[in-house]
Amino acid sequence: MTPSTDRNQTLFDRAKALIPGGVNSPVRAFRAVGGTPAFVQRAQGAYFWDANGKRHIDYIGSWGPMILGHGHPAVLEAVQKAAMDGFSFGAPTEREIELAEEIVKHLPSVEMIRLVSSGTEAAMSTIRLARGATGRNMIIKFEGCYHGHADALLVKAGSGLATFGHPTSAGVPADVVQHTLVLEYNNIQQLEEAFATQGKDIACLMIEPIAGNMNFVRASLPFMKRCRELCTQHGALLVFDEVMTGFRVALGSAQSVYGAAIPGFKPDLTVLGKVIGGGMPLAAFGGPRAIMEQLSPVGPVYQAGTLSGNPVATACGLATLKEISKPRFFHELSARTKSLVDGLKGAADAEGVPFAADHEGGMFGFFLLEALPANYTQVMKSEAPKFAKLFHGLLDRGVYIAPALYEAGFVSAAHTEGDIAQTVEAARAVFKTLKA
Ligand SMILES: *Cc1c(COP(=O)(O)O)cnc(C)c1O
């Protein structure tokens, strides 16, 4: 047998011998859509090239961080300069303050912030802080929202209302998730019942305001308003997990979108990641001074990290935030995203393929369904084989979207109208093959 000329396949085989499933994070393995993952050789602007040298228009952008596209000159320069001055010190640096100032400037709900290295770490630490600050144990999360892979957050709904969740992963003891209540997204009645029965024990309600881990599903305004009211009324903290939406859907993040629609609206705590690191391992959580000063070394809630506030990562994040703060950045990014979504919708309609889509800033989602879903159960009504066909059709044509129907998509400032037009034409060709 002649050796494979597909270098992606060769690398995947080599990887599988050493790394479980051949990947260092599960969704990269293409399990949901089948086939061989593209191994990335390099990337520039809106494109990456795989191990076969094939160019792809990239709508994942490292799952959100690459909002400027790959290899933005100002970011590259900042990272190179920072690297020359040292990789890590385990001692404070001025740039950590600059990044904190830059983040706080755009988020009125955040007075103080702590930098960490991953969204998982930030969400896990936020839960500990919320429990420490309130002296309560219980947390609410919603089905279909992802907050990283800390034990207490790997939970699915039990049967029926107000039952405690079940672990979604082996290795998570049932005792660890017994304090996690899992509710249906956008279900006001369930939310009210949960607070009515357990309100005095709830430390926090954690939510992705625009959920990007069940494709793209917005919390409705009445639902979000009720989340805020019930948390306030019962002394629980409202935690926005904006690891994905933060500095991605707007400069003021998703909280500014809800703040514009609901007078006086603010979350108590905010979890950040992805864009604030610009592609480097960096995340954060923040909120009012009185809560944040519960953290060690000032307060009793322990939290620490050897690489937290890493000097190269902070340089990358800071340079990224400076670029996206420029006038009209989000205006133009939103227009680009809208043009993609409208183009795809037009092509699907013309070919008679059911298609519903939504977008905010540089984030979008679409479903091969007649109407937008409001919760996880409705998202899962999507036909997986149809999605897999669309995914591979696009991949063949050099368009790279998330390899699973429950993931959001991302447009960067580097995507041109030409890229969008090419994407829409590719989608049109695939939609023709999707008609039943
Ligand atoms: C990506 C993500 C996380 C986890 O962040 P990691 O850096 O992958 O640990 C948490 N919450 C949300 C909403 C995310 O999208």
Side-chain angles (χ1 to χ4, degrees):
M1 214 178 92
T2 49
S4 170
T5 54
D6 180 357
R7 273 209 88 225
N8 290 320
Q9 186 62 52
T10 312
L11 291 176
F12 195 36
D13 292 340
R14 237 173 94 197
K16 279 190 287 192
L18 287 168
I19 299 168
V23 292
N24 284 310
S25 196
V27 74
R28 297 178 194 171
F30 279 23
R31 286 285 177 101
V33 290
T36 307
F39 276 65
V40 179
Q41 206 154 52
R42 68 186 184 88
Q44 183 58 50
Y47 316 120
F48 75 80
W49 285 263
D50 71 17
N52 295 328
K54 179 178 169 178
R55 193 193 84 168
H56 301 258
I57 304 177
D58 180 11
Y59 290 105
I60 299 188
S62 186
W63 302 94
M66 310 313 295
I67 192 165
L68 298 171
H70 299 281
H72 187 283
V75 180
L76 266 182
E77 195 193 328
V79 167
Q80 283 166 343
K81 264 175 80 180
M84 295 301 284
D85 288 336
F87 287 1
S88 185
F89 314 117
T93 59
E94 185 171 355
R95 212 176 292 115
E96 294 162 70
I97 314 169
E98 290 175 344
L99 181 61
E101 286 168 345
E102 189 65 27
I103 293 171
V104 165
K105 189 161 87 187
H106 300 294
L107 301 177
S109 69
V110 177
E111 289 173 358
M112 296 188 98
I113 195 152
R114 176 150 286 174
L115 303 180
V116 296
S117 300
S118 76
T120 292
E121 195 188 350
M124 176 190 83
S125 302
T126 303
I127 297 286
R128 184 178 304 144
L129 175 61
R131 285 171 164 164
T134 57
R136 300 169 175 186
N137 286 335
M138 198 181 294
I139 59 179
I140 287 180
K141 88 172 277 289
F142 296 94
E143 199 174 16
C145 287
Y146 176 67
H147 307 293
H149 59 89
D151 281 355
L153 294 164
L154 285 182
V155 193
K156 65 173 176 243
S159 51
L161 173 66
T163 58
F164 291 99
H166 302 303
T168 50
S169 165
V172 175
D175 325 28
V176 176
V177 299
Q178 68 170 344
H179 300 293
T180 308
L181 199 52
V182 185
L183 305 179
E184 188 174 73
Y185 201 73
N186 278 326
N187 186 330
I188 292 179
Q189 193 193 335
Q190 269 196 14
L191 184 73
E192 287 179 340
E193 285 174 36
F195 272 98
T197 52
Q198 341 248 2
K200 65 175 193 340
D201 299 321
I202 297 170
C204 70
L205 176 161
M206 186 176 264
I207 186 166
E208 284 185 78
I210 298 173
N213 288 285
M214 49 173 158
N215 198 323
F216 183 113
V217 182
R218 279 173 205 269
S220 74
L221 289 179
F223 177 70
M224 188 57 85
K225 196 158 166 276
R226 213 61 196 112
C227 285
R228 177 66 276 177
E229 287 165 357
L230 287 165
C231 283
T232 304
Q233 192 184 327
H234 293 270
L237 299 175
L238 176 61
V239 180
F240 262 29
D241 181 350
E242 297 225 47
V243 171
M244 189 181 285
T245 53
F247 297 91
R248 165 53 77 175
V249 299
L251 192 55
S253 306
Q255 50 199 270
S256 72
V257 176
Y258 287 90
I262 306 170
F265 181 89
K266 268 199 244 178
D268 295 305
L269 295 173
T270 299
V271 190
L272 296 163
K274 298 194 169 109
V275 170
I276 65 160
M280 290 270 185
L282 195 150
F285 59 105
R289 172 180 305 274
I291 300 177
M292 292 303 288
E293 286 192 338
Q294 297 293 313
L295 284 174
S296 52
V298 194
V301 179
Y302 191 70
Q303 193 281 327
T306 301
L307 297 176
S308 292
N310 177 270
V312 184
T314 48
C316 186
L318 192 58
T320 301
L321 294 189
K322 290 237 162 92
E323 289 299 315
I324 71 172
S325 314
K326 289 183 175 166
R328 296 187 60 78
F329 178 88
F330 270 93
H331 178 83
E332 277 157 29
L333 184 66
S334 303
R336 203 54 52 82
T337 310
K338 181 174 186 324
S339 126
L340 172 70
V341 166
D342 289 351
L344 293 174
K345 171 80 180 140
D349 286 354
E351 299 306 329
V353 173
F355 189 92
D358 198 1
H359 62 94
E360 189 72 46
M363 180 172 160
F364 67 92
F366 64 80
F367 301 87
L368 300 173
L369 297 171
E370 296 290 352
L372 286 174
N375 59 46
Y376 184 72
T377 309
Q378 290 172 8
V379 169
M380 286 302 148
K381 291 206 170 106
S382 305
E383 291 169 54
K386 212 167 172 185
F387 176 81
K389 211 168 154 189
L390 175 64
F391 171 81
H392 280 291
L394 290 175
L395 187 68
D396 287 347
R397 291 165 176 81
V399 175
Y400 192 78
I401 61 167
L405 59 79
Y406 48 82
E407 304 287 354
F410 305 96
V411 173
S412 79
H415 288 80
T416 63
E417 280 300 340
D419 296 323
I420 306 275
Q422 202 181 321
T423 304
V424 170
E425 278 327 297
R428 190 185 306 278
V430 185
F431 287 147
K432 281 186 201 297
T433 70
L434 284 189
K435 267 185 294 192

